[in-house]
Amino acid sequence: MILISTLVNGVLLGGFYALLGLGLSLTFGIMRTVNLAHGDLVVLASFLALAIADYIGLSPIASSLLLVPFMFALGYALQSVVLNRRLKDGMMPAVIITFGLAFVIQNGLLITFSADRAVLRQGAIETAGITLMPGLTIGLLPVVTFAVVLLLLGGLHLLFTRTLIGRAFRATSDDTQIAALMGIDPKHIYALAMGLACSIIAVTGILTGMRSNFSAFDGPIRLIFAFEVIIIGGMGSLYGVLAGGIILGLAQTIGGAINPTWFQLAGHVATLAVLMVRPSGLFPATIDRN
């Protein structure tokens, strides 16, 4: 029973990590841009959901109605006003800009919300559980998180394979110049991609804030786990994100079951092992650009 419980909880934890890495994978897959502010944007979304709950009275889940479009607009503006100006200089300027943005967000959150840790309260769902069999009960919130990841992956799959804008995303990702010759505006596509990634970050921030407490300086640790997910799963691969998250979650729960102090270490070791064997990840989906 302990083994089954460990595996089930590892898979559910993997769903949370997949959600954390999904926005980062989307950004890299389309723009080849490493967004170092990804973790801090997740924390920003958590604090914004908290502010909406405190000042407007909406629950964290209901706050997504306001937060998702706001984060989309923020991501679109960030890409179109700031990052697109440095596209001709390669990937490094965007990396440096997002690195600076991470510090701006951290200090902005510190000034606005103080250094105290906060949590998004959602009532009974926080402690509700589902009994799968005698002796095995799983939390409802991890199940909801896993279901949200599957819905987002299914929605993105339909977007990329069944819509014109999805084909424009893929064409721009494969070859920017040819996409431009076909009448696609790469800068607009990049801005839409960043907006979409930030919309996913909004959902991630809400569920992360409901799952555990958070502070203004939690962004870097969120970024590390997101990186580990896409390193394991493969850069730019949406379904690789799910596989990477599950592998990371299983490694942590199995390591924690053997020795509680090995919980995070086991995840880092699994990431390092995949990196040594397959540097591009298990399911890479990006095409290298010269």
Side-chain angles (χ1 to χ4, degrees):
M1 185 56 68
I2 294 176
L3 176 60
I4 296 175
S5 175
T6 299
L7 294 178
V8 170
N9 284 295
V11 171
L12 293 177
L13 179 61
F16 168 70
Y17 286 137
L19 181 63
L20 202 55
L22 186 54
L24 187 64
S25 179
L26 183 65
T27 305
F28 184 85
I30 296 176
M31 295 178 286
R32 308 294 194 274
T33 297
V34 178
N35 178 14
L36 293 182
H38 178 82
D40 294 285
L41 286 170
V42 171
V43 178
L44 172 64
S46 298
F47 273 108
L48 290 177
L50 179 66
I52 292 173
D54 288 344
Y55 294 104
I56 300 180
L58 294 177
S59 67
I61 292 178
S63 69
S64 62
L65 298 175
L66 298 177
L67 193 55
V68 169
F70 173 79
M71 290 295 289
F72 178 88
L74 179 65
Y76 189 97
L78 172 65
Q79 184 67 40
S80 60
V81 176
V82 180
L83 299 179
N84 276 347
R85 296 176 182 274
R86 311 306 302 175
L87 283 178
K88 64 181 184 301
D89 300 322
M91 185 177 71
M92 189 53 65
V95 172
I96 296 173
I97 290 172
T98 55
F99 183 67
L101 177 62
F103 287 104
V104 171
I105 294 174
Q106 287 178 26
N107 285 276
L109 292 175
L110 177 64
I111 294 172
T112 307
F113 296 98
S114 80
D116 295 338
R117 302 195 70 82
V119 65
L120 293 174
R121 295 297 181 192
Q122 189 53 46
I125 191 175
E126 297 175 14
T127 56
I130 302 172
T131 301
L132 298 180
M133 62 180 69
L136 178 57
T137 300
I138 57 177
L140 178 59
L141 186 56
V143 173
V144 170
T145 303
F146 198 89
V148 169
V149 172
L150 295 181
L151 287 174
L152 288 174
L153 287 173
L156 289 173
H157 175 77
L158 292 177
L159 176 69
F160 287 137
T161 57
R162 303 293 179 85
T163 67
L164 289 176
I165 189 66
R167 295 187 181 96
F169 279 136
R170 291 159 54 197
T172 307
S173 171
D174 290 344
D175 194 311
T176 307
Q177 293 182 347
I178 292 180
L181 291 175
M182 299 300 292
I184 297 172
D185 182 0
K187 291 184 177 180
H188 177 59
I189 294 298
Y190 285 163
L192 287 176
M194 182 61 83
L196 184 58
C198 285
S199 299
I200 296 172
I201 286 173
V203 177
T204 306
I206 292 171
L207 290 173
T208 302
M210 292 169 57
R211 184 185 183 92
S212 62
N213 58 42
F214 52 91
S215 75
F217 298 108
D218 284 354
I221 190 64
R222 305 272 195 267
L223 179 64
I224 288 173
F225 288 133
F227 261 127
E228 290 187 335
V229 167
I230 63 173
I231 286 173
I232 295 173
M235 293 288 188
S237 171
L238 293 180
Y239 294 102
V241 168
L242 181 61
I246 291 176
I247 291 173
L248 181 61
L250 284 172
Q252 288 189 343
T253 52
I254 293 172
I258 297 173
N259 187 324
T261 60
W262 294 356
F263 183 79
Q264 292 198 4
L265 176 62
H268 299 326
V269 170
T271 304
L272 181 60
V274 173
L275 192 60
M276 292 175 63
V277 177
R278 290 180 63 89
S280 57
L282 299 178
F283 309 100
T286 56
I287 298 175
D288 291 335
R289 291 174 183 166
N290 294 322

